[in-house]
């Protein structure tokens, strides 16, 4: 029957498509496909329209939500039927029906009316499941092992519970979290495929639980639950000097299983003092240091019902049974992604056996090999080889990155760690006497399961490798929180790094939920006076806060997410945090000048080794603070405008004027020279509109002069770099921006590429031309901050952007700006509306541009032309085409507006 319905649906869609009818698909609830664990009262619903004609718009929609997919299609038992709503909104439409119940599954579908008033069919049915909404829904208690734990090596405890499911099971949902990390099993099978759960948040106020549909893992009769814990971020080593137990010394488990029987009754199995505990094969597990597994200590079948657990200890109820900090999981969990095989196994000059996986990645190596009982195999991880080709770990500082596996010796054994991850390209194998081959090892990349959204490529292979490196920098460092680096004893949510890269990140992947979750931690860890920590979650301390360009993540990231995804609710939720940060600065300022306190400044700016004549590009730190004060205030005004907070708009607009006036007085000479004659100084002043209009052109020229004085090299650090090319292209120096982008010698984006990098480096000169390294105390080879150029590559080279007053690509800008030696560039972006494409090439004096615009959006297209030349679309002048609205055609550029569809433009250039 089900098959028949599916066939009919496919058939119907096929015919609807052929007839040119508009269709609805790609349903999202809270930006995810069929999510479980929703704890907002009005989930946001989105859908996409499609059809095979141009200019499709939605004129109305109808949503229906029910408690079973069957009754939904009959329109019965609905909890909400929106009726026909005349509106073009197809993204983030709030649920508006009856109150939603804890743990319940809801089924929904939508149909639309297009711009011709034609109704689509109903979309396929999608679903979501609510989380536990009331504190009283939690029946489970926090439990800890019942035996005395070794507090030095801290082996992973196992928890076990058996129970009888007396009746036929209809469905079952597990709600699990831990103080530490957990991995759960039911009847021997892994629950879900999320890794490193429950993820990292500001645990004291926000601890995520995960929710799993485990109906298929349970059976009528005897069942068993087994859970392993690791110390994770909760109790593990974090930050420097081997400090640990940042949130508490005792790991603990919270587990609740809600079973629905077919007779309509419900049973709850939850963690309490009836559980049992023991230890197993994981002897040691630390995020920085790696894991030790002794397979001889494995308790075979320990999560099966038939296992004999009479030697196990009981458990103790945790002294801290707090559940008020529990929240559902907002972001996509960390999952296993690309596998890699060693491309080479070799012996280094120092005589060590090393594997090269060909890519600097973050994850772990799975080993499948045979050994003798008690023998071991040890894997150590490194990012680079040194000048002589030897395995190099100094830049890891105290992080050991070492996994040790001890064989039980009964045939081929499979090992991989559970509660750790490594940043590496090279793996050194020791302690193993047998032969090894690539077949024995598979490296897996682990990262948050954010859907991929953007692709960029062009005619220059080095730039393509740069894009690859940016993408891999993001994969490796978007591991539940945006981290600075994934390998040394750090791996923290550094705020500057995150804000600098956030817009690029939103091109490459759908990071809406990823950042929505992190921003709540930013707000949670914000000090009462509004100051924002250097790292979030904050594990540094209450005074490590308030640095310009770092703390501004509180305003910059919400605004960037709003531009990319147009989720007004996020802006609304972050608004108090944004405002508190601006108010903090205001409190620190005197006469509207923020010139006090500690600041990192333009971190890792160009600093030549032989800086005898003062060539280091040092930018006055307080000039920087003032620029960020203005920027954050501007973003607060923007947010206030969107949210209709008119009093705030007026107040902060007046403040902004004073901030800029104070800047002019303190840091700018009457002729417009800045007190720091650095690229970063000019970049920030210009990007944040600190200078009056009449001084901008000359300031941009000074920037260009400065670039030339360094022989066409950049000198910017973390704060100047993201805006450098934007400022140049905005003020008429596109050529200089391209020159910097295509520069191959150090300092530049392509220098690391030429040196064989597969990720973005922390420093412009992480490895010198003679292959020696920068100072090992700060030399990561996987740090995404300088990858912020990716935003310019998408927004300027391929020209894909959103209008700020119609964000989330509701009104698209396509403004490709060819330059440098590029002859071709192509970008695609999956938005909530569908795919945008901008792909251009220069061929025989022709500029050819292929554009794709998703339904229910419009795009303004800018095409460069020669001497006012005309633009053709598929062989016809655009001025003659009905479905293209020509807005302007001047000497250098033609400008027109289009609706959805595919377009092929050509013009002489
Ligand atoms: C981190 C950075 C961070 C910086 C601030 C470093 O240790 O790796 O990326 O922004 O500290 O000082």
């Amino acid at each position: 029957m089900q098959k028949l319905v599916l066939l009919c649906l496919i058939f119907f869609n096929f015919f609807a498509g052929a007839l040119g009818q508009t269709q609805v698909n790609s349903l999202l609830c809270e930006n995810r496909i069929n999510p479980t664990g929703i704890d907002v009262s009005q989930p946001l619903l989105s859908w996409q329209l499609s059809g095979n004609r141009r200019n499709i718009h939605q004129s109305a929609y109808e949503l229906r939500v029910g408690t079973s997919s069957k009754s939904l299609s009959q329109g019965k038992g609905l909890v909400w039927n929106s009726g026909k709503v005349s509106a073009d909104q197809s993204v983030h439409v709030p649920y508006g029906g009856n109150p939603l119940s804890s743990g319940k599954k809801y089924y929904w579908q939508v149909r639309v009316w297009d711009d011709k008033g034609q109704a689509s069919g109903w979309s396929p049915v999608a679903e979501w499941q609510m989380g536990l909404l009331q504190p009283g829904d939690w029946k489970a208690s926090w439990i800890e092992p019942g035996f005395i734990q070794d507090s030095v090596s801290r082996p992973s405890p196992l928890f076990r519970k058996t129970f009888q499911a007396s009746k036929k099971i209809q469905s079952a949902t597990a709600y699990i979290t831990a103080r530490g990390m957990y991995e759960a099993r039911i009847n021997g099978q892994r629950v879900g495929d999320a890794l490193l759960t429950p993820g990292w948040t500001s645990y004291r106020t926000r601890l995520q639980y995960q929710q799993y549909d485990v109906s298929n893992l349970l059976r009528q009769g005897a069942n068993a639950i087994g859970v392993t814990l690791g110390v994770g971020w909760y109790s593990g080593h974090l930050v420097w000097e081997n400090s640990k137990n940042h949130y508490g010394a005792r790991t603990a488990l919270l587990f609740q299983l809600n079973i629905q029987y077919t007779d309509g009754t419900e049973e709850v199995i939850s963690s309490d003092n009836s559980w049992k505990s023991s230890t197993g094969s994981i002897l040691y597990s630390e995020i920085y240091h790696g894991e030790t597994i002794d397979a001889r200590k494995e308790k075979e079948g320990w999560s099966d019902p038939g296992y004999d657990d009479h030697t196990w200890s009981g458990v103790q109820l945790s002294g801290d049974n707090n559940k008020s900090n529990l929240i559902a999981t907002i972001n996509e969990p960390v999952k296993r992604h690309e596998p890699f095989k060693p491309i080479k196994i070799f012996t280094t000059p120092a005589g060590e056996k090393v594997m090269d996986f060909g890519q600097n990645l973050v994850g772990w190596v799975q080993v499948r090999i045979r050994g003798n009982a008690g023998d071991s195999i040890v894997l150590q991880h490194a990012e680079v080889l040194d000048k002589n080709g030897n395995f190099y770990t100094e830049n890891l500082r105290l992080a050991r990155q070492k996994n040790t596996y001890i064989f039980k010796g009964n045939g081929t054994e499979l090992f991989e760690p559970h509660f750790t991850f490594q940043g590496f390209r090279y793996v050194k194998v020791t302690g193993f006497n047998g032969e090894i081959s690539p077949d024995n090892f598979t490296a897996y990349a682990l990262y948050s399961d954010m859907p991929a959204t953007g692709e960029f490529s062009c005619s220059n292979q080095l730039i393509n490798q740069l894009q690859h490196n940016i993408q891999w920098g993001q994969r490796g460092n978007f591991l539940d929180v945006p981290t600075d680096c994934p390998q040394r004893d750090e791996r923290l949510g550094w705020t500057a790094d995150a804000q600098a890269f956030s817009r690029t990140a939103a091109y490459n992947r759908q990071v809406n939920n990823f950042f929505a979750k992190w921003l709540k931690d930013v707000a949670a860890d914000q000090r009462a006076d509004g100051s924002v920590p250097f790292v979030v979650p904050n594990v540094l301390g209450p005074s490590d806060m308030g640095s310009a360009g770092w703390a501004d993540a509180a305003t910059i990231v919400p605004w960037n997410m709003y531009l990319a995804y147009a989720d007004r609710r996020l802006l609304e939720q972050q608004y108090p945090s944004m405002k508190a940060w601006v108010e903090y600065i205001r409190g620190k300022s005197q006469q509207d000048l923020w010139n006090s306190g500690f600041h990192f400044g333009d971190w890792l700016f160009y600093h030549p080794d032989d800086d005898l004549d003062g060539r280091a590009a040092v930018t006055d730190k307080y000039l920087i603070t003032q620029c960020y004060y203005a920027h954050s205030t501007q973003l607060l005004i923007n947010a206030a405008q969107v949210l209709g907070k008119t009093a705030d708009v007026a107040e902060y607009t007046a403040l902004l004027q004073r901030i800029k006036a104070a800047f002019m007085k303190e840091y700018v000479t009457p002729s417009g020279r800045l007190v720091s004659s650095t690229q970063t100084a000019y970049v920030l002043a210009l990007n944040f509109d600190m200078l009056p209009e009449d001084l901008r052109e000359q300031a941009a020229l000074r920037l260009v002069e400065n670039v030339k004085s360094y022989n066409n090299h950049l000198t910017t650090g973390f704060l100047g770099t993201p805006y450098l090319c934007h400022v140049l292209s905005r003020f008429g120096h596109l050529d200089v921006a391209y020159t910097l982008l295509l520069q191959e010698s150090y300092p530049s984006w392509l220098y690391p590429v030429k040196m064989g990098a597969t990720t973005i480096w922390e420093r412009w000169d992480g490895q010198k031309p003679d292959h020696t390294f920068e100072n090992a105390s700060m030399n990561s080879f996987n740090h995404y901050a300088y990858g912020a150029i990716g935003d310019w590559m998408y927004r300027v080279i391929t020209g894909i952007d959103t209008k700020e007053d119609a964000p989330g690509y509701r009104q698209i800008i396509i403004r490709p700006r060819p330059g440098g030696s590029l002859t071709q560039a192509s970008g695609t972006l999956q938005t909530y509306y569908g795919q945008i494409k901008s792909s251009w090439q220069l061929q025989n004096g022709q500029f050819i541009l292929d554009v794709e615009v998703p339904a229910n959006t419009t795009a303004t297209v800018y095409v460069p032309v020669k001497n006012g030349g005309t633009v053709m679309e598929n062989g016809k002048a655009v001025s003659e085409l009905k479905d293209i609205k020509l807005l302007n055609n001047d000497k250098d550029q033609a400008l027109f507006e289009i609706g959805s569809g595919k377009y092929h433009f050509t013009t002489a250039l």
Side-chain angles (χ1 to χ4, degrees):
M1 178 64 190
Q2 242 175 358
K3 259 195 192 144
L4 196 72
V5 173
L6 200 73
L7 267 177
C8 289
L9 212 74
I10 294 171
F11 220 59
F12 173 77
N13 277 339
F14 177 79
F15 275 111
L19 289 171
Q21 198 181 335
T22 300
Q23 296 165 63
V24 213
N25 41 41
S26 305
L27 273 59
L28 297 178
C29 170
E30 289 290 308
N31 314 314
R32 292 164 72 179
I33 302 170
N34 298 337
T36 52
I38 298 298
D39 68 356
V40 293
S41 55
Q42 291 189 291
L44 300 181
L45 307 172
S46 308
W47 56 88
Q48 288 179 17
L49 279 66
S50 62
N52 57 8
R53 64 175 173 93
R54 281 182 177 173
N55 253 318
I56 297 173
H57 290 277
Q58 176 184 296
S59 60
Y61 67 82
E62 181 178 359
L63 276 161
R64 61 185 182 192
V65 183
T67 49
S68 95
S69 73
K70 233 207 220 141
S71 63
L72 186 67
S73 52
Q74 295 154 1
K76 284 195 210 133
L78 298 182
V79 288
W80 187 39
N81 187 338
S82 69
K84 185 173 172 182
V85 181
S86 293
D88 58 4
Q89 190 182 0
S90 58
V91 170
H92 306 316
V93 175
Y95 168 81
N98 297 342
L100 300 163
S101 318
S102 252
K104 242 197 150 35
K105 240 186 207 176
Y106 293 94
Y107 300 83
W108 68 287
Q109 54 186 172
V110 57
R111 65 172 162 169
V112 301
W113 284 260
D114 64 19
D115 45 287
K116 299 195 183 333
Q118 288 236 329
S120 72
W122 283 100
S123 70
V125 175
E127 60 186 60
W128 80 80
Q129 189 181 8
M130 298 303 286
L132 294 181
L133 304 177
Q134 310 299 334
D137 295 333
W138 280 102
K139 310 287 177 231
S141 301
W142 281 102
I143 56 172
E144 297 172 10
F147 52 88
I148 295 171
Q149 297 187 71
D150 172 345
S151 61
V152 180
S153 66
R154 307 197 283 183
S156 280
L158 308 179
F159 293 88
R160 175 179 158 79
K161 163 81 183 167
T162 52
F163 64 95
Q164 291 288 327
S166 47
K167 297 178 264 186
K168 199 156 175 248
I169 295 164
Q170 168 88 34
S171 65
T173 306
Y175 305 86
I176 316 174
T177 190
R179 296 182 183 137
M181 283 181 191
Y182 73 86
E183 218 187 81
R185 299 177 162 268
I186 291 181
N187 297 327
Q189 290 199 55
R190 181 86 157 76
V191 175
D193 55 357
L195 301 168
L196 311 178
T197 45
W200 192 11
T201 43
S202 306
Y203 291 139
R204 286 190 192 96
T205 41
R206 296 168 23 80
L207 172 58
Q208 298 196 142
Y209 62 88
Q210 282 75 42
Q211 185 168 329
Y212 306 91
D213 182 341
V214 293
S215 315
N216 294 333
L217 300 183
L218 292 179
R219 51 199 172 216
Q220 191 171 350
N223 289 278
I225 301 165
V227 184
T228 315
L229 294 191
V231 289
W233 291 284
Y234 187 87
S235 305
H237 288 147
L238 275 184
V239 199
W240 308 281
E241 311 296 335
N242 272 330
S243 71
K244 59 181 182 182
N245 299 333
H246 283 268
Y247 298 93
R250 306 176 75 90
T251 53
L253 169 68
L254 189 72
F255 189 110
Q256 183 165 318
L257 177 64
N258 289 17
I259 307 172
Q260 262 79 44
Y261 292 110
T262 48
D263 66 1
T265 58
E266 183 174 306
E267 186 172 358
V268 180
I269 307 292
S270 48
S271 47
D272 58 19
N273 55 14
S274 69
W275 287 48
K276 294 210 148 186
S277 65
S278 184
T279 51
S281 60
I282 304 175
L283 304 188
Y284 175 87
S285 189
E286 283 283 350
I287 290 170
Y288 294 162
H289 303 312
E291 198 160 298
T292 300
I293 299 181
D294 186 344
R296 295 169 303 176
K297 300 217 149 97
E298 214 170 86
K299 299 208 153 78
E300 212 160 314
W302 68 278
S303 60
D304 289 328
Y307 177 81
D308 177 6
D309 61 14
H310 80 273
T311 58
W312 285 42
S313 312
V315 296
Q316 47 173 316
L317 296 179
S318 170
D320 172 7
N321 199 32
N322 178 28
K323 283 172 267 177
S324 65
N325 58 346
L326 295 178
I327 49 166
T329 303
I330 298 168
N331 63 331
E332 298 82 1
V334 173
K335 290 201 175 164
R336 182 191 304 260
H337 292 97
E338 297 84 351
F340 288 86
K341 282 292 190 190
I343 55 171
K344 201 163 85 179
I345 300 184
F346 59 101
T347 304
T348 64
E352 297 176 322
K353 197 162 277 183
V354 170
M355 301 185 273
D356 176 3
F357 284 92
Q359 172 65 49
N360 193 4
L361 67 112
V362 178
W364 60 48
V365 176
Q366 188 184 71
V367 180
R368 199 182 282 271
I369 205 163
R370 221 174 236 278
N372 298 321
D375 284 357
S376 58
I377 180 165
V378 180
L379 306 187
Q380 275 161 283
H381 303 72
E383 293 185 289
V384 284
L385 301 178
D386 72 10
K387 184 171 176 235
N388 303 315
N390 287 318
F391 194 72
Y392 179 81
T393 55
E394 260 176 77
N395 68 327
L396 304 178
R397 305 194 305 215
L398 296 180
R400 290 201 289 277
Q401 293 222 108
K402 177 170 146 185
N403 295 332
T404 304
Y405 302 126
I406 304 165
F407 296 97
K408 64 179 171 215
N410 65 347
T412 301
E413 296 178 46
L414 181 94
F415 292 103
E416 67 178 2
H418 304 76
F419 305 119
T420 182
F421 58 89
Q422 286 83 42
F424 64 100
R425 169 174 170 170
Y426 298 95
V427 172
K428 179 170 99 179
V429 184
T430 52
F432 186 73
N433 294 327
E435 279 292 301
I436 56 168
S437 89
D439 294 343
N440 303 126
F441 306 94
T442 310
Y444 285 99
L446 309 186
Y447 50 88
S448 288
D449 199 25
M450 316 154 283
T453 49
E455 273 173 24
F456 172 94
S457 65
C458 68
S459 54
N460 181 315
Q461 289 319 313
L462 295 176
I463 299 290
N464 292 343
Q465 181 67 35
L466 173 66
Q467 168 66 8
H468 169 101
N469 296 0
I470 295 171
Q471 294 260 17
W472 275 95
Q474 180 165 352
R475 284 177 172 97
N477 285 297
F478 277 49
L479 194 115
D480 210 57
V481 300
T483 56
D484 58 334
C485 60
Q487 73 297 75
R488 67 184 179 215
D489 53 348
E490 194 151 3
R491 313 183 192 193
L492 305 175
W494 280 96
T495 42
D497 309 43
Q499 65 83 358
F501 189 67
S502 56
R503 190 118 192 229
T504 302
Y507 275 100
N508 291 328
R509 290 189 174 256
Q510 206 230 92
V511 292
N512 195 357
N513 290 22
F514 179 86
F515 274 119
K517 170 233 182 202
W518 185 72
L519 284 170
K520 285 176 196 263
D521 292 311
V522 169
D525 280 348
Q526 199 164 0
R527 216 166 46 193
D529 64 2
S531 193
V532 177
F534 299 159
V535 302
V536 172
N538 183 14
V539 281
L540 292 181
S543 43
D544 287 346
M545 306 217 175
S547 172
W550 271 249
D552 301 278
T555 52
I556 296 172
V557 181
W559 184 251
N560 279 346
M561 292 308 108
Y562 178 70
L563 291 180
Y565 304 112
D567 180 355
R568 192 176 181 274
R569 188 186 59 184
L570 176 103
L571 218 48
E572 215 162 61
Q573 288 172 349
Q574 293 305 130
Y575 191 79
S577 155
M578 298 171 81
K579 187 167 166 175
W581 168 237
V582 172
E583 281 301 320
Y584 170 83
I585 310 175
R586 173 138 74 159
K588 292 282 160 206
S589 305
Q590 289 187 346
Q591 272 106 44
D592 302 307
L593 205 57
W594 184 26
N595 57 359
S596 59
F598 167 80
H599 301 278
F600 290 109
D602 190 26
W603 193 247
L604 301 184
F605 60 86
Y606 174 57
H607 198 296
D609 296 336
D610 56 345
D611 184 25
L612 300 174
D613 56 356
R615 283 183 301 134
V618 188
T619 309
D620 185 300
K621 286 191 181 174
Y622 292 131
L623 180 153
I624 294 176
T625 56
Q626 191 71 1
C627 288
Y628 276 91
Y629 184 14
H631 187 44
S632 273
T633 306
Q634 177 67 66
L635 298 181
L636 184 65
I637 296 167
N638 295 356
Q641 245 148 10
V642 172
L643 301 174
K645 296 179 186 293
T646 40
D648 279 4
V649 173
E651 173 166 357
Y652 290 105
T653 304
L655 174 65
L656 183 58
Q657 273 168 12
R658 298 199 301 273
I659 295 170
K660 288 185 182 175
F663 178 83
M664 291 301 295
K665 202 163 137 208
E666 185 76 7
Y667 301 110
V668 190
T669 68
S671 72
R673 205 152 42 86
L674 299 181
V675 297
S676 300
S677 58
T678 61
Q679 292 174 19
T680 290
Y682 283 99
V683 164
L684 296 183
L686 285 165
N687 199 64
F688 300 154
D689 297 333
M690 303 302 287
L691 306 173
E693 301 235 3
D694 61 329
L695 287 183
R696 291 180 189 171
E697 203 179 305
Q698 62 82 27
L701 283 171
R702 285 181 211 269
L703 171 62
V704 171
E705 246 169 60
N706 184 305
V707 169
K708 300 227 158 111
S709 77
Y710 285 94
N711 203 9
N712 288 321
H713 287 86
L714 55 77
T715 63
T716 47
F718 275 28
L719 299 185
T721 303
Y723 308 119
L724 173 59
C725 284
H726 278 299
V727 165
L728 288 167
S729 50
R730 173 177 158 195
F731 289 98
H733 304 287
L734 182 69
D735 54 335
V736 184
Y738 268 106
T739 305
L740 286 178
L741 177 69
L742 297 170
Q743 177 60 261
E744 294 179 15
S745 61
Y746 146 77
S748 69
W749 285 285
L750 292 188
Y751 168 75
V753 170
K754 293 281 277 189
M755 293 295 284
T758 58
T759 37
I760 300 294
W761 294 354
E762 177 174 24
R763 314 179 77 122
W764 296 119
D765 60 344
Q767 189 166 25
K768 308 276 175 153
D770 67 358
H771 292 268
T772 56
F773 292 122
E774 253 286 0
N775 193 329
S777 67
M778 275 272 306
N779 200 19
S780 147
F781 290 93
N782 196 355
H783 234 76
Y784 53 59
Y786 287 147
I789 184 65
D791 166 52
W792 189 83
M793 287 154 53
Y794 280 107
R795 271 208 281 162
V796 178
I797 301 182
T798 70
I800 299 176
D801 204 347
T802 182
K803 283 199 182 156
E804 295 217 353
D805 53 3
Y809 305 92
R810 179 96 178 86
Q811 285 178 27
I812 298 160
I813 296 170
I814 304 277
R815 191 188 182 191
R817 302 185 68 186
S821 51
L822 299 191
T823 55
Q824 180 271 328
S826 177
T828 52
L829 182 66
Q830 309 301 327
T831 69
Y832 286 141
Y833 297 96
Q835 171 163 291
I836 302 174
K837 179 175 174 182
S838 167
S839 176
W840 60 260
Q841 46 184 308
L842 289 164
Q843 216 178 59
N844 308 325
Q846 289 275 101
F847 179 73
I848 305 165
L849 174 66
D850 285 292
V851 170
E852 201 176 319
V853 176
N856 209 24
T857 68
T858 53
T860 309
V861 184
Y862 299 70
V863 177
V865 297
K866 198 157 85 184
N867 301 327
T870 41
V871 178
M872 314 289 280
E873 200 273 319
N874 262 327
K876 290 199 183 120
V878 291
S879 52
E880 283 162 27
L881 291 170
K882 254 200 348 271
D883 47 11
I884 298 179
K885 191 160 136 205
L886 185 61
L887 301 173
N888 191 17
N889 198 347
D890 65 20
K891 205 163 78 27
D892 303 318
Q893 148 178 295
L895 178 61
F896 35 85
E897 205 176 277
I898 53 178
S900 63
K902 292 184 181 167
Y903 300 82
H904 178 72
F905 300 110
T906 48
T907 188
L909 200 65

